[in-house]
Amino acid sequence: MRVLVLQHIACEPPGVYEDVLLEMGAQIVRIELDEGGSLPDWRDFDAIIAMGGPMSVNDESDHPWLVAEKRLIRDAVGAGVPFWGACLGVQLLASSLGARVYPGPAPEVGILDVTLTEAALADPVFAGLPRVMPTLQWHGDTFDLPENAVLLASSAEYPNQAFRTGRAYGLQFHLEVSRDMAIAWAAVPVYAESLERTLGPGATPRLIAEIAGRAPAMLDHGRALFTNWLHAAVLDQPTEISA
């Protein structure tokens, strides 16, 4: 299994998703787009993963590589290549398929619940996950669903939290983040500023402490979800829905 990872900042690797890939013996090709990495031919890969980052999908003037990245995602997903997007990654998926990405009503930051839809409960990728589950949110943009996409999860302020189209899945929320990864994020000025602006002074140590306490459960959910996706979308070995 050869997997292309599209990364947009050093501190946002795939986390527990990468752990699963390595345990399964996958060959990972990582492209650091914000560092000038060149996009390879998507036809050489069995799956594509796009992670988060501080930029907007609409920042093409500041980050011209976004144009080529969205074209790669559009072409690969259109050809049926399995795709997994997290945070910015889901917004890139939506934008590449012609949907609008725009600022939400207010930044959504912290450990917050999302609720799975009926479609998610019937989807083998979400097998075994609770209907309502805690997630790490750290974003300000949202997106419209692409044409023919299936909504999989919602939250109170951001109704579009996850969707699928074919073998492409995208999550606005994070389930891959360990305490150490969260600490690295908080050290990035633009992330720290948005955190303090949204949650108030002193928010950083409070959030890190909350993540440390709740990361084991979230990582377990992330591991299960991503493993299900690999079996159902990449390896064509669907997991049966549990009763």
Side-chain angles (χ1 to χ4, degrees):
M1 182 167 49
R2 195 160 188 257
V3 179
L4 173 63
V5 172
L6 303 174
Q7 202 164 313
H8 311 98
I9 187 170
C11 65
E12 293 210 43
V16 77
Y17 305 147
E18 184 166 345
D19 294 344
V20 173
L21 289 171
L22 293 174
E23 290 163 10
M24 296 181 69
Q27 178 188 359
I28 298 173
V29 176
R30 187 190 318 275
I31 306 300
E32 293 260 5
L33 290 159
D34 61 311
E35 296 293 337
S38 299
L39 290 169
D41 189 334
W42 56 265
R43 298 169 187 84
D44 294 334
F45 296 90
D46 300 301
I48 299 171
I49 299 171
M51 297 308 300
M55 64 289 297
S56 166
V57 301
N58 301 313
D59 290 342
E60 294 177 357
S61 58
D62 294 328
H63 306 289
W65 44 263
L66 283 165
V67 177
E69 183 181 21
K70 286 188 279 189
R71 182 168 58 246
L72 180 150
I73 293 170
R74 181 198 66 207
D75 293 347
V77 170
V81 176
F83 176 91
W84 183 268
C87 200
L88 177 64
V90 72
Q91 296 167 10
L92 286 163
L93 176 61
S95 180
S96 71
L97 298 180
R100 188 170 63 109
V101 177
Y102 52 94
E108 189 176 40
V109 180
I111 306 294
L112 302 166
D113 287 342
V114 300
T115 301
L116 302 186
T117 64
E118 292 295 331
L121 297 179
D123 188 322
V125 172
F126 285 80
L129 292 175
R131 179 71 182 266
V132 178
M133 62 182 176
T135 66
L136 174 60
Q137 302 277 4
W138 206 321
H139 67 99
D141 281 357
T142 189
F143 54 87
D144 293 334
L145 291 179
E147 185 177 0
N148 298 322
V150 177
L151 181 66
L152 298 170
S154 298
S155 70
E157 297 298 328
Y158 282 77
N160 293 338
Q161 284 284 345
F163 73 89
R164 73 165 188 256
T165 177
R167 296 185 176 192
Y169 283 70
L171 315 176
Q172 180 59 73
F173 47 88
H174 297 278
L175 292 173
E176 79 280 8
V177 179
S178 66
R179 173 182 175 274
D180 288 345
M181 280 180 63
I183 290 173
W185 291 10
V188 177
V190 66
Y191 287 176
E193 291 164 8
S194 70
L195 180 59
E196 299 284 323
R197 187 169 58 249
T198 304
L199 300 181
T204 300
R206 293 197 304 271
L207 180 58
I208 296 301
E210 186 176 9
I211 291 171
R214 305 190 73 176
M218 291 191 292
L219 290 169
D220 282 348
H221 291 153
R223 175 180 286 275
L225 185 64
F226 188 72
T227 301
N228 287 345
W229 173 75
L230 286 173
H231 282 288
V234 184
L235 302 176
D236 294 313
Q237 299 171 351
T239 302
E240 292 296 329
I241 296 290
S242 58

